[in-house]
Amino acid sequence: MVGQRFIQLLDDHPFFDLSLLFSSERKSGNQFREMVDWQLEGTCPDRISRMMLNDFDPELLKEHDIDVVFSALPGSLLRDMEKEAALDGGKVFSNSASHRYDRDVPIMIPEVNGEHLGLISSQDTFPAGFIVTNPNCSTSGLVMSLAPISQFGIKKVYISTYQALSGAGYPGPSSLSMLGNIVPFIRKEEEKISIESGKILGKISGNKVEEASIKIIPSCARVPVKDGHLLSINVELEKEITPQEAKDTFSSLRSLPGLPSAPAHPIVVLDEEDRPQPLKDVSTGSSVKGMSVSIGRIRTDGNVLSYFALVNNTIRGGAGNAILTAEMAHEMNFIGGGRG
Amino acid sequence: MVGQRFIQLLDDHPFFDLSLLFSSERKSGNQFREMVDWQLEGTCPDRISRMMLNDFDPELLKEHDIDVVFSALPGSLLRDMEKEAALDGGKVFSNSASHRYDRDVPIMIPEVNGEHLGLISSQDTFPAGFIVTNPNCSTSGLVMSLAPISQFGIKKVYISTYQALSGAGYPGPSSLSMLGNIVPFIRKEEEKISIESGKILGKISGNKVEEASIKIIPSCARVPVKDGHLLSINVELEKEITPQEAKDTFSSLRSLPGLPSAPAHPIVVLDEEDRPQPLKDVSTGSSVKGMSVSIGRIRTDGNVLSYFALVNNTIRGGAGNAILTAEMAHEMNFIGGGRG
Amino acid sequence: MVGQRFIQLLDDHPFFDLSLLFSSERKSGNQFREMVDWQLEGTCPDRISRMMLNDFDPELLKEHDIDVVFSALPGSLLRDMEKEAALDGGKVFSNSASHRYDRDVPIMIPEVNGEHLGLISSQDTFPAGFIVTNPNCSTSGLVMSLAPISQFGIKKVYISTYQALSGAGYPGPSSLSMLGNIVPFIRKEEEKISIESGKILGKISGNKVEEASIKIIPSCARVPVKDGHLLSINVELEKEITPQEAKDTFSSLRSLPGLPSAPAHPIVVLDEEDRPQPLKDVSTGSSVKGMSVSIGRIRTDGNVLSYFALVNNTIRGGAGNAILTAEMAHEMNFIGGGRG
Amino acid sequence: MVGQRFIQLLDDHPFFDLSLLFSSERKSGNQFREMVDWQLEGTCPDRISRMMLNDFDPELLKEHDIDVVFSALPGSLLRDMEKEAALDGGKVFSNSASHRYDRDVPIMIPEVNGEHLGLISSQDTFPAGFIVTNPNCSTSGLVMSLAPISQFGIKKVYISTYQALSGAGYPGPSSLSMLGNIVPFIRKEEEKISIESGKILGKISGNKVEEASIKIIPSCARVPVKDGHLLSINVELEKEITPQEAKDTFSSLRSLPGLPSAPAHPIVVLDEEDRPQPLKDVSTGSSVKGMSVSIGRIRTDGNVLSYFALVNNTIRGGAGNAILTAEMAHEMNFIGGGRG
């Protein structure tokens, strides 16, 4: 699903030009449209549906004069293609978990930890290329909401998730398991949320990230919803704030003007008593739909701030966030010429 | 839905004999089957489907020599029929919220706070009758799970709910609102959970309940599931325990042998990594299916115990719990003869 | 739902300018956004959300110099507002069933029976105004598919429907009734399909429609799908044709160039073995998404042609079709000035 | 799913004693409960959950003195295990399609074509054993409904299906494909319905079945329903009948008293205007729930009889029907001793 989102969002992109597609060996040598069943709304852009799928070969990057690589590889591959690409000079923006926990690889949410992007200068393994990663899909929604309120001091976070089916990729869970049911387990998801959040909210110290000392206790469940991870979040703060202060603080998260995929409001606060809802709010976002996190039902009880947040898991929690990161890298001249 | 569960569970009950049905004025004067669309699995018991619906009139209780009344009234009625019934000597077991917060009315979960039943002796308003209430459907699952671990000292509880459609009664939410969606709001539900839990877990002091001083922070959401409220629970304890200790403690909640609706194991702990699930576990319970609470995914992190619990919202969280309470009252001779 | 589609599709329309909203008495006097919960994807256009809702009063049409009225009234109102509007000179394009079966009122699908629009000249009751109607939502999909193949002689049609929830309006059926279920009954739907199809496919004879003598046997069911009525259609033809001939014939239905809401291809034939599907194909249509009918799984057996068709029930089967009809009336100068 | 139904229905069966389980090689050598995720309501019978899974080996049948074999093999296996079992004396009752179209193998619905069972005497390939098959799951519902009305002369049948997810086995279709969607294609299903119906409704002539000359035109679709295939059926009869005659005729299909799995009423006619519905009617059946076919919405138009039928696809359309067939074979002494 994230791979298809990359294609959808990169079609007709002002900075980047999609010029080569890699796939698994089994599918390579064929046209995209022959091998892939389009799962997103609408249809696959025509030009891309006719592109050939290639076996991964870093040589092809040079041949085609490509320097930007977007990756949505599953975690379990034998070859470390992202590393191979970066060794050959590729600027890799990855949605997979393989390198997220590497010391010199940043996990980026551009509006939150833009300064972490500088870490790539320390990636001595790669003379010309680098690897930058996306957070896990539910982490991205959590951390975007935590970032602005971290000024009040975050001690502990309880999060229970209502995660959409598309987060599991296609085909993902059986319809017999999910129709009219909830499955309160997603493998490794809780671990990812805990570790990644601390890293993204951490501070650069020398050439590594010093993790924020926030205790995060996640409980993850899969729900029968197509798109949009809903998060029930409780934050223990060092000081008491009012719901209005929380609301103003969420809304204050700054946009990144000039980047084509940056929404005017990275966080949109909803006043209705029963929002955010996946069906109604999953496409929130001004430039690219699905890039804003929606927050609602803000309540406080003593020093505890409670709210629900919704993140579009394949856009802000996937392809869209990686592209926004690449746009930032482009503006900061980490990426060569005008073409990716 | 709860009204139909009462009928289903009282059909052929060893202690009670269903002899009169009350309904709204609009439906009274007709046979049950003419006015009510059966929503539960299977069909309505034949004898009952032919019974007449009556306008509520406490006189009828005397005429038919009835002393036990089960009530599943909606909250918003003008007349306080439960009070009228109790004034006329009726022993009322109610699933509605109208009297739950009255000082001398207990909210019962028989395995948890059996000793609270004695409170009815203080109901001076009613010379012969009394009113006993059920907790709210999600409260019942939460409190059953908290009761055994309260021995370790509960400081604070965070609970996020995944509540089934049947909890809203029929017709309840629109299919357009719920298909493939989550609605993170249920009116008054969070308030009910907080208040009721403290009362049920409290101690009798004189002729009232002294509420337990447990802080509960609930976040409630409706999910597209037919039956079974799933609860994501985090408990801050006064001391650290291991997952195995938690498991043993949950399993130690005692049954009430001799009561026909009492399950052998009020709490069933599941070892599978992805349970409890509404579709698979909603009917857990030995005597009456749906009377046991299922608990799984037990984890600890410092002094925080986390787990998922599942309660059948119309049985343990509704009719079944009220009937079990009436069975207990019967055994304790709060109810007159051998038959209600 | 159809009312909201009208608003969505009329916002920024090149021919018409939405200048007044009527509502039920209960809601009138308030802003649209205060009284109406937006059910469609995206948000309500801002300008419209701030418009006031008015009690219906034909005088207001004159006051505001309005001549075009779009109606999505429920069938069961006491006042015949459409007639009142037409008597006062209103050009009424209606999605309700009230006047569909009037002798001099056409049921329009512009690409199919454009010549029927002339019938409005015979509406002597209305000196200046007129009433034109939309077919029922499932009829529109059926008849668009039958029109091109009627050249082969249609003797009998069997149609079984898989109708979406939005066809019932909001709130429509209970989620408890529809989640994981099919309801094989939609009140009056089968009658509507039979009667309307004959009228739309009929020929103008004098100042009335001579109905086509096609026997239609419909079986209607509601399914848990949000948007898009899927139709399983079997047509007994007077002559045998091949699937390829059927395919070419479906594709030959002509567009109406120049009308802003007319799709380039009123019928889109899909070659994949498992299409059309509501989730993937409900937005088919070039100018306005949802205006094209998708057809797939074309098979023949002797003189029987079988296929599945999908129609967007609130767009082609509702607001979009009424607007396209108004656009046609505008081009044919049935509507006064350049602005509605 | 059908395999698990066999286990559920054979547990504690009066004629048969489940004594050996075969599985794929990958799972064999382990306990049932270790390898199989129970998908049905309730839990797997305890005794069976502890049974070992074995590689298929016909020798084991002799060793354990087993003569009855129930098979729910997928169609695509390399080895023809059913044939191997029958060659070794096994009496095979199969739910798979492999031998359904063999000339001397009957496709059985005991109440419909009991006399076809005699065909097994002609299976000269197997000196001691035999193979008997079940129809396809949707065929079973169609043919049970057609059998009683065939007395009026059936010329042609149009059937559109609404087939449940469990018909595809576990895991079956992706939840992303099915949630809120309909897929109008099930591979080979339409072919199966056409061919099998003619064979089951045919007459024994010598040692083969002479197929009934009924033209059947099926259109099959998968719907997001867990259990229960709903069928929209139109029958062109040689004579006109009234809905009441149709109703009486459906109800007249005779039961098979004495067979433990035979329902008192093989067909149950529902009078409600909106039934049968999968959620409410899938468990219809007196002895074993799910063995009766429910029929409703009976209408006639000239010589066309229209109705909806519902069949429990894994019980009457699967394991239950095979067991009923074996019970009949047992009563007719085709099976050796009193115990299988």
Side-chain angles (χ1 to χ4, degrees):
Chain A
M1 307 294 282
V2 173
Q4 298 192 7
R5 283 285 176 215
F6 270 123
I7 285 170
Q8 190 184 51
L9 299 177
L10 287 172
D11 183 46
D12 204 29
H13 189 278
F15 292 2
F16 309 115
D17 181 18
L18 187 57
S19 49
L20 206 61
L21 294 174
F22 293 116
S23 74
S24 66
E25 222 171 306
R26 186 174 60 78
K27 296 181 182 164
S28 67
N30 298 284
Q31 284 189 330
F32 181 79
R33 63 176 173 184
E34 294 166 334
M35 301 309 293
V36 181
D37 196 11
W38 190 252
Q39 296 297 330
L40 306 184
E41 64 282 358
T43 49
C44 179
D46 202 54
R47 178 181 76 92
I48 292 167
S49 76
R50 274 188 256 273
M51 283 174 65
M52 295 300 289
L53 297 173
N54 300 281
D55 249 9
F56 177 72
D57 178 355
E59 288 301 310
L60 285 174
L61 300 177
K62 288 185 194 155
E63 269 176 40
H64 286 74
D65 201 25
I66 288 170
D67 64 346
V68 176
V69 177
F70 292 102
S71 156
L73 293 169
S76 55
L77 297 175
L78 288 179
R79 289 175 60 184
D80 186 345
M81 301 184 198
E82 297 184 350
K83 192 172 172 187
E84 292 178 42
L87 280 170
D88 261 32
K91 277 85 169 163
V92 179
F93 296 88
S94 166
N95 194 58
S96 76
S98 322
H99 292 280
R100 269 184 212 154
Y101 313 119
D102 292 359
R103 186 189 159 122
D104 52 5
V105 171
I107 308 178
M108 296 299 306
I109 301 178
E111 291 94 335
V112 167
N113 65 340
E115 71 281 8
H116 288 203
L117 196 55
L119 261 194
I120 55 182
S121 314
S122 328
Q123 296 185 3
D124 302 330
T125 328
F126 312 123
F130 58 76
I131 298 178
V132 171
T133 65
N134 247 2
N136 173 276
C137 48
S138 41
T139 307
S140 65
L142 171 64
V143 172
M144 279 184 71
S145 74
L146 292 182
I149 55 171
S150 63
Q151 61 185 272
F152 302 114
I154 299 175
K155 295 197 296 190
K156 202 186 275 195
V157 177
Y158 291 93
I159 170 173
S160 292
T161 69
Y162 304 68
Q163 294 184 232
L165 302 170
S166 59
Y170 189 84
S174 160
S175 50
L176 282 162
S177 301
M178 292 308 309
L179 182 71
N181 200 21
I182 310 285
V183 176
F185 180 65
I186 302 175
R187 194 169 305 286
K188 292 202 184 156
E189 192 79 0
E190 296 167 1
E191 293 83 341
K192 286 178 184 171
I193 292 175
S194 296
I195 297 172
E196 297 175 16
S197 300
K199 181 166 177 180
I200 303 170
L201 291 170
K203 291 210 153 35
I204 295 287
S205 158
N207 57 4
K208 68 180 188 63
V209 177
E210 194 173 298
E211 293 183 13
S213 61
I214 297 175
K215 175 131 206 131
I216 299 191
I217 300 185
S219 301
C220 293
R222 184 79 64 199
V223 297
V225 162
K226 189 159 189 260
D227 288 305
H229 289 354
L230 182 70
L231 313 172
S232 168
I233 300 172
N234 295 282
V235 188
E236 292 188 0
L237 295 169
E238 273 161 24
K239 56 170 289 197
E240 293 193 13
I241 60 171
T242 65
Q244 186 61 45
E245 283 175 292
K247 183 180 160 173
D248 296 343
T249 308
F250 284 133
S251 303
S252 72
L253 185 63
R254 294 263 218 96
S255 177
L256 296 170
L259 301 191
S261 302
H265 302 282
I267 293 179
V268 172
V269 175
L270 301 167
D271 289 326
E272 292 86 344
E273 67 184 7
D274 61 354
R275 304 281 278 270
Q277 294 175 20
L279 210 57
K280 296 191 170 178
D281 302 309
V282 73
S283 297
T284 303
S286 49
S287 49
V288 170
K289 281 167 197 271
M291 282 298 282
S292 296
V293 166
S294 302
I295 289 181
R297 299 222 52 229
I298 299 171
R299 295 149 289 153
T300 58
D301 186 343
N303 71 328
V304 176
L305 168 66
S306 302
Y307 57 93
F308 280 89
L310 179 78
V311 60
N312 185 311
N313 53 295
T314 60
I315 297 182
R316 172 58 82 166
N321 190 68
I323 293 172
L324 182 61
T325 304
E327 291 168 1
M328 175 180 252
H330 179 269
E331 289 304 282
M332 294 171 72
N333 293 314
F334 284 114
I335 298 176
R339 290 230 135 190
Chain B
M1 307 296 280
V2 172
Q4 298 193 7
R5 283 286 176 213
F6 270 124
I7 285 170
Q8 190 183 51
L9 299 177
L10 286 171
D11 183 46
D12 205 31
H13 189 278
F15 291 3
F16 309 114
D17 181 19
L18 187 58
S19 49
L20 206 61
L21 294 174
F22 293 117
S23 73
S24 66
E25 224 172 302
R26 188 175 59 78
K27 295 181 183 164
S28 68
N30 297 284
Q31 284 190 330
F32 181 80
R33 63 176 173 184
E34 292 165 335
M35 301 309 292
V36 182
D37 197 12
W38 190 253
Q39 296 296 331
L40 306 183
E41 63 282 359
T43 49
C44 179
D46 202 53
R47 177 181 76 92
I48 291 167
S49 77
R50 273 188 256 273
M51 283 174 66
M52 293 300 290
L53 297 174
N54 301 280
D55 249 9
F56 178 72
D57 179 355
E59 287 302 309
L60 285 174
L61 299 177
K62 288 182 192 157
E63 269 176 42
H64 287 75
D65 202 27
I66 288 170
D67 64 344
V68 176
V69 177
F70 291 102
S71 157
L73 292 168
S76 54
L77 296 176
L78 288 179
R79 290 176 59 186
D80 186 344
M81 301 183 198
E82 297 184 350
K83 193 173 171 186
E84 291 178 43
L87 279 170
D88 261 31
K91 277 85 169 163
V92 179
F93 296 88
S94 167
N95 195 59
S96 75
S98 321
H99 291 279
R100 266 183 214 154
Y101 314 118
D102 293 358
R103 186 188 159 121
D104 52 5
V105 171
I107 308 177
M108 296 298 307
I109 301 178
E111 292 94 334
V112 166
N113 65 339
E115 71 283 7
H116 288 202
L117 197 54
L119 261 194
I120 55 182
S121 313
S122 328
Q123 296 185 2
D124 301 331
T125 328
F126 312 123
F130 58 75
I131 299 178
V132 170
T133 65
N134 247 2
N136 173 277
C137 49
S138 42
T139 307
S140 65
L142 170 64
V143 172
M144 279 184 70
S145 75
L146 292 182
I149 55 171
S150 62
Q151 61 184 273
F152 302 115
I154 299 176
K155 296 197 296 190
K156 203 186 272 195
V157 176
Y158 292 93
I159 169 172
S160 293
T161 69
Y162 304 67
Q163 294 185 233
L165 302 170
S166 59
Y170 188 84
S174 160
S175 50
L176 281 162
S177 301
M178 293 308 309
L179 182 71
N181 199 20
I182 310 284
V183 177
F185 179 65
I186 301 175
R187 195 169 306 284
K188 292 203 183 151
E189 191 80 0
E190 295 167 1
E191 293 83 341
K192 287 179 185 172
I193 293 176
S194 295
I195 297 172
E196 297 175 16
S197 301
K199 182 166 176 180
I200 303 171
L201 291 170
K203 290 209 156 35
I204 295 288
S205 157
N207 57 4
K208 67 179 189 65
V209 177
E210 196 172 297
E211 293 183 12
S213 61
I214 297 175
K215 177 135 206 128
I216 299 194
I217 299 184
S219 301
C220 292
R222 185 79 65 200
V223 296
V225 163
K226 189 157 188 262
D227 288 305
H229 289 353
L230 183 70
L231 314 171
S232 167
I233 300 171
N234 295 282
V235 187
E236 291 187 1
L237 296 168
E238 273 161 23
K239 54 170 291 196
E240 292 193 13
I241 60 172
T242 65
Q244 186 61 43
E245 282 175 293
K247 182 180 162 176
D248 294 344
T249 308
F250 284 133
S251 303
S252 72
L253 184 63
R254 293 263 217 96
S255 179
L256 296 170
L259 300 190
S261 303
H265 303 283
I267 292 179
V268 171
V269 176
L270 300 166
D271 289 326
E272 292 85 346
E273 67 184 7
D274 61 354
R275 304 282 278 270
Q277 294 175 18
L279 211 56
K280 296 191 170 178
D281 301 310
V282 74
S283 296
T284 304
S286 49
S287 50
V288 170
K289 283 168 196 270
M291 282 297 283
S292 296
V293 165
S294 302
I295 289 182
R297 299 223 52 231
I298 299 170
R299 295 148 289 151
T300 58
D301 185 342
N303 70 329
V304 177
L305 168 65
S306 302
Y307 56 93
F308 280 90
L310 179 77
V311 59
N312 185 313
N313 53 297
T314 61
I315 297 182
R316 172 57 83 167
N321 190 68
I323 293 172
L324 181 62
T325 304
E327 290 168 1
M328 176 180 253
H330 180 270
E331 289 304 282
M332 294 171 73
N333 293 315
F334 284 113
I335 297 176
R339 292 230 132 191
Chain C
M1 307 296 280
V2 172
Q4 298 193 8
R5 283 285 176 215
F6 270 123
I7 285 171
Q8 190 184 51
L9 299 177
L10 287 171
D11 183 47
D12 205 31
H13 189 278
F15 291 2
F16 309 114
D17 181 18
L18 187 57
S19 48
L20 206 61
L21 294 175
F22 294 117
S23 74
S24 67
E25 223 171 303
R26 188 175 60 77
K27 295 181 183 165
S28 68
N30 297 285
Q31 284 189 330
F32 181 80
R33 63 176 174 183
E34 292 165 335
M35 300 310 292
V36 181
D37 197 12
W38 189 253
Q39 295 297 331
L40 306 183
E41 63 282 359
T43 49
C44 178
D46 201 53
R47 177 181 76 92
I48 292 166
S49 76
R50 273 188 256 272
M51 283 174 67
M52 294 300 290
L53 297 173
N54 300 280
D55 249 10
F56 178 72
D57 179 355
E59 287 302 309
L60 285 174
L61 299 176
K62 287 182 191 157
E63 268 175 43
H64 287 76
D65 202 26
I66 289 170
D67 63 346
V68 176
V69 177
F70 291 102
S71 157
L73 292 169
S76 55
L77 296 175
L78 289 179
R79 290 175 60 186
D80 186 344
M81 301 183 199
E82 297 184 350
K83 192 173 172 187
E84 290 178 43
L87 280 171
D88 261 31
K91 277 83 169 166
V92 179
F93 296 87
S94 167
N95 195 58
S96 76
S98 320
H99 291 278
R100 267 184 214 154
Y101 314 119
D102 292 358
R103 186 188 160 122
D104 52 5
V105 172
I107 308 178
M108 297 298 307
I109 300 178
E111 292 94 334
V112 166
N113 65 339
E115 71 283 7
H116 288 203
L117 197 54
L119 261 194
I120 55 183
S121 314
S122 328
Q123 297 184 4
D124 301 330
T125 327
F126 311 123
F130 58 75
I131 298 178
V132 171
T133 65
N134 247 2
N136 174 276
C137 49
S138 42
T139 306
S140 65
L142 171 64
V143 172
M144 278 184 71
S145 75
L146 292 182
I149 55 171
S150 62
Q151 62 184 271
F152 303 114
I154 299 176
K155 295 196 297 190
K156 202 186 275 196
V157 176
Y158 292 93
I159 169 173
S160 292
T161 69
Y162 304 67
Q163 294 185 232
L165 302 170
S166 59
Y170 188 83
S174 161
S175 50
L176 280 162
S177 301
M178 293 309 309
L179 182 71
N181 200 21
I182 309 285
V183 176
F185 179 65
I186 301 175
R187 195 169 306 286
K188 293 203 183 152
E189 191 79 1
E190 295 167 1
E191 293 83 342
K192 287 178 185 172
I193 293 176
S194 295
I195 297 172
E196 297 175 16
S197 300
K199 182 166 175 180
I200 303 170
L201 291 171
K203 291 209 155 35
I204 295 289
S205 157
N207 57 3
K208 68 179 188 66
V209 177
E210 196 172 296
E211 292 183 12
S213 61
I214 297 175
K215 177 133 207 129
I216 299 194
I217 299 184
S219 302
C220 292
R222 185 78 66 199
V223 296
V225 162
K226 190 158 188 260
D227 288 305
H229 290 353
L230 183 69
L231 314 171
S232 167
I233 300 171
N234 295 281
V235 188
E236 291 187 2
L237 296 168
E238 274 161 23
K239 55 170 291 196
E240 292 192 14
I241 60 171
T242 65
Q244 186 61 44
E245 282 174 293
K247 183 180 161 173
D248 294 344
T249 309
F250 284 133
S251 304
S252 72
L253 185 63
R254 293 263 217 97
S255 178
L256 296 170
L259 301 190
S261 302
H265 302 282
I267 292 179
V268 171
V269 176
L270 301 167
D271 289 326
E272 292 86 345
E273 68 185 5
D274 61 354
R275 303 281 279 271
Q277 294 175 19
L279 210 56
K280 296 192 170 178
D281 301 310
V282 74
S283 296
T284 303
S286 49
S287 50
V288 171
K289 282 167 197 270
M291 283 297 283
S292 296
V293 165
S294 303
I295 289 182
R297 300 222 53 229
I298 300 170
R299 295 149 288 151
T300 58
D301 185 343
N303 70 328
V304 177
L305 168 65
S306 302
Y307 57 93
F308 280 89
L310 179 77
V311 60
N312 186 312
N313 52 297
T314 61
I315 297 182
R316 172 57 83 166
N321 190 68
I323 293 172
L324 181 61
T325 304
E327 291 168 1
M328 176 179 252
H330 180 270
E331 290 304 283
M332 294 171 72
N333 294 315
F334 284 113
I335 297 176
R339 291 230 133 192
Chain D
M1 306 295 281
V2 172
Q4 298 193 8
R5 283 286 176 213
F6 270 124
I7 285 170
Q8 190 184 52
L9 299 177
L10 287 172
D11 183 46
D12 204 30
H13 189 279
F15 292 2
F16 309 114
D17 182 18
L18 187 57
S19 49
L20 206 62
L21 294 174
F22 293 117
S23 74
S24 67
E25 223 171 306
R26 186 174 60 78
K27 295 181 182 164
S28 68
N30 297 286
Q31 284 189 329
F32 181 80
R33 63 176 173 184
E34 293 166 334
M35 300 310 293
V36 180
D37 196 12
W38 189 252
Q39 296 296 330
L40 306 184
E41 63 284 356
T43 49
C44 179
D46 201 54
R47 177 181 76 91
I48 291 166
S49 75
R50 275 189 255 273
M51 284 174 66
M52 295 300 289
L53 297 173
N54 300 280
D55 249 9
F56 177 71
D57 178 356
E59 287 302 309
L60 285 174
L61 299 176
K62 287 184 192 155
E63 269 176 41
H64 287 74
D65 201 26
I66 288 169
D67 63 346
V68 176
V69 177
F70 292 101
S71 156
L73 293 169
S76 55
L77 297 176
L78 288 180
R79 288 175 59 185
D80 186 344
M81 300 184 200
E82 297 184 350
K83 192 172 172 186
E84 291 179 43
L87 280 170
D88 261 31
K91 277 85 168 161
V92 179
F93 295 88
S94 166
N95 195 58
S96 76
S98 321
H99 292 278
R100 269 184 213 152
Y101 313 119
D102 292 359
R103 185 189 161 121
D104 53 4
V105 172
I107 308 178
M108 297 299 305
I109 301 178
E111 292 94 334
V112 167
N113 65 340
E115 71 282 7
H116 287 202
L117 196 54
L119 261 195
I120 55 182
S121 314
S122 328
Q123 297 186 3
D124 302 330
T125 329
F126 312 123
F130 59 75
I131 297 178
V132 171
T133 65
N134 248 2
N136 174 277
C137 49
S138 42
T139 307
S140 64
L142 170 64
V143 172
M144 278 184 71
S145 74
L146 293 181
I149 55 171
S150 63
Q151 61 183 272
F152 303 114
I154 299 175
K155 296 197 296 191
K156 203 186 273 194
V157 176
Y158 292 93
I159 170 174
S160 292
T161 69
Y162 305 67
Q163 294 184 232
L165 302 170
S166 59
Y170 188 85
S174 160
S175 50
L176 281 163
S177 301
M178 292 309 309
L179 182 71
N181 200 20
I182 309 285
V183 177
F185 180 65
I186 302 175
R187 194 169 306 284
K188 292 203 183 154
E189 192 77 2
E190 296 167 1
E191 293 83 342
K192 287 178 184 173
I193 292 176
S194 295
I195 297 172
E196 296 175 16
S197 301
K199 181 165 175 180
I200 303 170
L201 291 169
K203 291 211 154 33
I204 295 289
S205 158
N207 57 3
K208 68 178 189 64
V209 177
E210 195 172 298
E211 292 183 12
S213 61
I214 297 175
K215 175 133 207 129
I216 299 192
I217 300 185
S219 302
C220 292
R222 184 79 66 199
V223 296
V225 162
K226 189 159 189 261
D227 288 305
H229 289 354
L230 183 70
L231 314 172
S232 167
I233 299 172
N234 295 282
V235 188
E236 292 187 1
L237 294 169
E238 273 161 23
K239 56 170 289 198
E240 292 193 15
I241 61 172
T242 66
Q244 186 61 45
E245 283 175 292
K247 183 180 161 174
D248 295 343
T249 308
F250 284 133
S251 303
S252 72
L253 185 63
R254 295 263 217 95
S255 177
L256 296 170
L259 301 191
S261 302
H265 303 282
I267 293 178
V268 172
V269 176
L270 300 167
D271 289 327
E272 291 86 345
E273 67 185 7
D274 61 353
R275 303 280 279 269
Q277 294 175 19
L279 211 56
K280 296 192 169 179
D281 302 309
V282 73
S283 297
T284 303
S286 49
S287 49
V288 170
K289 282 167 196 269
M291 282 298 283
S292 296
V293 166
S294 302
I295 289 182
R297 298 221 55 229
I298 299 170
R299 294 149 288 151
T300 58
D301 185 342
N303 70 329
V304 176
L305 168 66
S306 301
Y307 57 93
F308 280 90
L310 179 77
V311 60
N312 186 312
N313 53 296
T314 60
I315 297 182
R316 172 58 82 166
N321 189 69
I323 293 172
L324 181 61
T325 304
E327 291 168 2
M328 176 180 252
H330 179 270
E331 289 304 282
M332 294 171 72
N333 293 314
F334 284 114
I335 298 176
R339 292 229 135 192

